[in-house]
């Protein structure tokens, strides 16, 4: 056990499916590859933590496992319950699932937005929570939050939090930004809505000093081979593709800096 001073890799998944839909294909991982990734983590002595466990370790300055890793899943696809949950159980691993509340299969009158594949039902959300999975919010309709006016933004953030908290009977302090987008205005609204930590997409490991409302996550895709995965969780020599994605996510202001980093990584 060591003090929390090192960056912690926080991985971002979406769907884990043998046959993804056209909408989820790029960000969907094949179940065999996901199982291989869990085998790798186990073999290399990694311990999975939820974002909540990471936050409380940070807040209370307690020790964390020597090789921590956080697995997060966005959107709330049905394959989390069908495929991911049993594989996590096989590996005694845990994860954080970010649910888009308006996309839940039996959302009823609360239904909003257009899911890209089949999604979990409320009873499946309950089962995941009962199995020790942390449930976080992913907005209500999967809106681009930075494009919304004040009251619509507030509603997206509060409605998803309230629906989850009412269902689960516990606080839901964490959110993942749909599309990984956030701005200073969005982050302020997220904090005002009562969230205490929010996950973005930055393709770098999370440092203890990182802004808790912009926890960086590393994208795991269908094309991420096991060698790349091993380098990503080790936090060393991130391949150039990750830096390129970082520029796409964060916008043009980071382009020059990322090019510099890509060069540094390539030559180090
Ligand atoms: Zn999403």
């Amino acid at each position: 056990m060591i003090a929390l001073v090192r960056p912690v890799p926080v991985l971002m998944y979406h769907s884990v499916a043998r046959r993804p839909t056209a909408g989820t294909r790029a960000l969907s991982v094949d179940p065999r590859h996901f199982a291989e990734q869990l085998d790798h983590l186990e073999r290399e002595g990694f311990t999975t933590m939820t974002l909540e466990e990471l936050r409380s370790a940070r807040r209370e300055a307690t020790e964390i496992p020597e090789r921590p890793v956080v697995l997060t899943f966005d959107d709330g696809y049905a394959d989390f319950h069908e495929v991911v949950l049993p594989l996590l159980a096989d590996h005694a691993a845990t994860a954080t699932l970010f649910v888009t509340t308006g996309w839940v299969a039996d959302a009823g009158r609360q239904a909003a937005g257009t899911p890209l594949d089949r999604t979990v039902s409320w009873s499946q959300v309950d089962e995941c929570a009962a199995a020790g999975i942390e449930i976080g919010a992913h907005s209500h309709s999967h809106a681009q939050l930075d494009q919304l006016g004040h009251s619509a933004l507030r509603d997206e953030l509060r409605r998803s939090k309230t629906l989850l908290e009412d269902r689960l009977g516990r606080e839901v302090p964490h959110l993942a930004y749909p599309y990984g987008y956030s701005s200073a205005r969005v982050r302020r609204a997220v904090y005002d809505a009562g969230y205490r930590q929010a996950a973005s997409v930055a393709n770098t490991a999370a440092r203890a000093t990182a802004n808790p409302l912009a926890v960086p996550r590393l994208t795991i895709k269908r094309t991420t081979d096991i060698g790349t995965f091993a380098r990503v969780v080790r936090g060393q020599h991130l391949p150039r593709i990750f830096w390129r994605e970082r520029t796409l996510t964060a916008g043009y202001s980071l382009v020059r800096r990322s090019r510099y980093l890509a060069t540094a990584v390539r030559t180090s």
Side-chain angles (χ1 to χ4, degrees):
M1 305 285 273
I2 58 149
L4 183 53
V5 292
R6 289 178 297 111
V8 177
V10 181
L11 310 185
M12 179 182 68
Y13 293 89
H14 287 76
S15 142
V16 176
R18 194 154 307 202
R19 289 197 195 85
T21 65
T24 60
R25 174 160 289 279
L27 290 172
S28 171
V29 171
D30 188 285
R32 284 166 303 181
H33 293 167
F34 181 63
E36 197 182 8
Q37 291 164 6
L38 289 176
D39 287 342
H40 175 84
L41 294 177
E42 199 167 39
R43 201 169 49 240
E44 295 296 316
F46 280 91
T47 304
T48 55
M49 302 176 75
T50 64
L51 271 186
E52 177 58 25
E53 287 167 345
L54 186 61
R55 184 176 74 114
S56 68
R58 205 163 271 183
R59 203 177 35 199
E60 289 152 29
T62 52
E63 291 183 330
I64 60 168
E66 193 168 343
R67 301 195 92 177
V69 61
V70 179
L71 311 180
T72 69
F73 294 80
D74 283 12
D75 298 350
Y77 295 113
D79 57 58
F80 183 86
H81 182 264
E82 292 161 6
V83 178
V84 175
L85 198 56
L87 286 171
L88 292 175
D90 284 350
H91 291 79
T94 192
T96 298
L97 174 67
F98 290 109
V99 174
T100 308
T101 43
W103 283 11
V104 171
D106 51 354
R109 283 184 300 122
Q110 296 283 355
T114 310
L116 302 176
D117 201 347
R118 289 183 307 115
T119 51
V120 283
S121 64
W122 277 116
S123 64
Q124 289 171 334
V125 172
D126 293 341
E127 283 177 41
C128 292
I133 301 301
E134 180 194 4
I135 309 294
H138 194 46
S139 83
H140 184 64
S141 74
H142 207 277
Q144 294 188 21
L145 298 179
D146 60 339
Q147 303 295 310
L148 299 179
H150 181 71
S151 65
L153 173 59
R154 201 179 122 110
D155 184 62
E156 281 285 341
L157 297 171
R158 294 192 183 217
R159 202 191 309 195
S160 49
K161 192 173 197 296
T162 304
L163 284 169
L164 288 168
E165 289 180 344
D166 287 352
R167 181 76 194 192
L168 300 169
R170 55 167 299 174
E171 197 199 347
V172 173
H174 294 157
L175 170 102
Y177 300 106
Y179 310 102
Y181 293 162
S182 81
S183 62
R185 182 180 71 97
V186 168
R187 291 193 291 276
R188 203 173 311 117
V190 163
Y191 187 81
D192 289 346
Y195 295 101
R196 290 301 168 257
Q197 194 160 257
S200 60
V201 185
N203 289 323
T204 178
R207 290 177 185 281
T209 52
N211 179 352
L213 296 177
V215 175
R217 292 186 296 169
L218 302 142
T219 311
I220 305 299
K221 306 200 303 185
R222 202 163 193 83
T223 52
T224 304
D225 60 47
I226 194 67
T228 303
F229 182 85
R231 285 194 296 279
V232 166
V233 292
R234 220 185 298 131
Q236 295 170 346
H237 304 293
L238 291 175
R240 287 178 63 208
I241 181 71
F242 282 91
W243 296 114
R244 269 210 303 275
E245 282 185 11
R246 179 182 175 142
T247 68
L248 293 175
T249 305
Y252 190 69
S253 61
L254 275 175
V255 167
R256 274 182 304 168
R257 182 163 166 260
S258 299
R259 278 186 188 144
Y260 167 75
L261 288 169
T263 308
V265 167
R266 207 165 46 236
T267 56
S268 61

